[in-house]
Amino acid sequence: MSILNMFKQREPQTIGVGSIPLNSRYTPDRIVTLGQNDIFVFGSNLQGRHAGGAARIALNRFGAILGQGIGLQGNSYAIPTMQGGVETIKPYVDEFIEFAKGRPDLTFYVTKIGCGIAGFSYEEIAPLFSTAISEPNIHLPKDFVDIINSL
């Protein structure tokens, strides 16, 4: 049996979700637990393979679903970052921001999407979130906030 088939047989995991909210102004570099209304925002591929980096953490701890590469899934939200250049990521970031605005009951912790396996720099990705910086329920990595504030 292939590893991918083994993963497909698993139910979504939410072992990292408890009753205490993360309650951090910025997205921490390492997240292992979330509160019930906290959402782990990670970079994914369109196929929803979630095999490495933050996507693997989302799969193993926060309810990401294999085969779903976009949107809310458990206590995680997938933004595709592996399909081309920065211009292909922007529409998904814009969709995420609009979604988050409509869900003030949830707190979204955006990881450094696209800056790991996908290979983009903070300077390339951070500006995509410039309209999110004023949203009270969207928390960004401090590195992203610093770049946005310097624009």
Side-chain angles (χ1 to χ4, degrees):
M1 175 182 295
S2 77
I3 291 175
L4 186 57
N5 284 337
M6 286 173 34
F7 282 126
K8 283 185 178 177
Q9 295 174 1
R10 292 174 46 191
E11 290 296 316
Q13 299 289 313
T14 56
I15 60 173
V17 179
S19 60
I20 301 171
L22 186 55
N23 198 25
S24 176
R25 175 161 163 59
Y26 302 106
T27 301
D29 286 335
R30 187 168 186 265
I31 299 174
V32 293
T33 61
L34 295 171
Q36 294 291 325
N37 294 323
D38 294 338
I39 306 297
F40 182 85
V41 182
F42 67 99
S44 69
N45 55 60
L46 287 167
Q47 298 77 26
R49 290 195 184 111
H50 311 321
R56 177 101 175 179
I57 294 167
L59 176 67
N60 290 337
R61 300 192 67 81
F62 304 125
I65 300 167
L66 277 172
Q68 185 175 332
I70 305 167
L72 187 65
Q73 36 198 299
N75 282 70
S76 63
Y77 187 103
I79 297 176
T81 60
M82 304 284 290
Q83 66 282 345
V86 173
E87 71 282 354
T88 70
I89 300 169
K90 184 175 180 1
Y92 295 109
V93 171
D94 292 345
E95 181 179 324
F96 157 70
I97 293 168
E98 287 306 309
F99 178 83
K101 284 180 181 180
R103 293 299 308 265
D105 57 314
L106 300 175
T107 301
F108 296 87
Y109 289 93
V110 178
T111 63
K112 295 175 183 173
I113 71 154
C115 299
I117 296 168
F120 296 100
S121 69
Y122 299 167
E123 291 77 16
E124 291 174 298
I125 299 296
L128 300 178
F129 290 93
S130 61
T131 61
I133 203 162
S134 62
E135 297 303 322
N137 66 329
I138 300 176
H139 298 248
L140 302 173
K142 181 145 181 10
D143 293 325
F144 282 18
V145 172
D146 290 345
I147 290 166
I148 293 166
N149 286 336
S150 72
L151 298 176

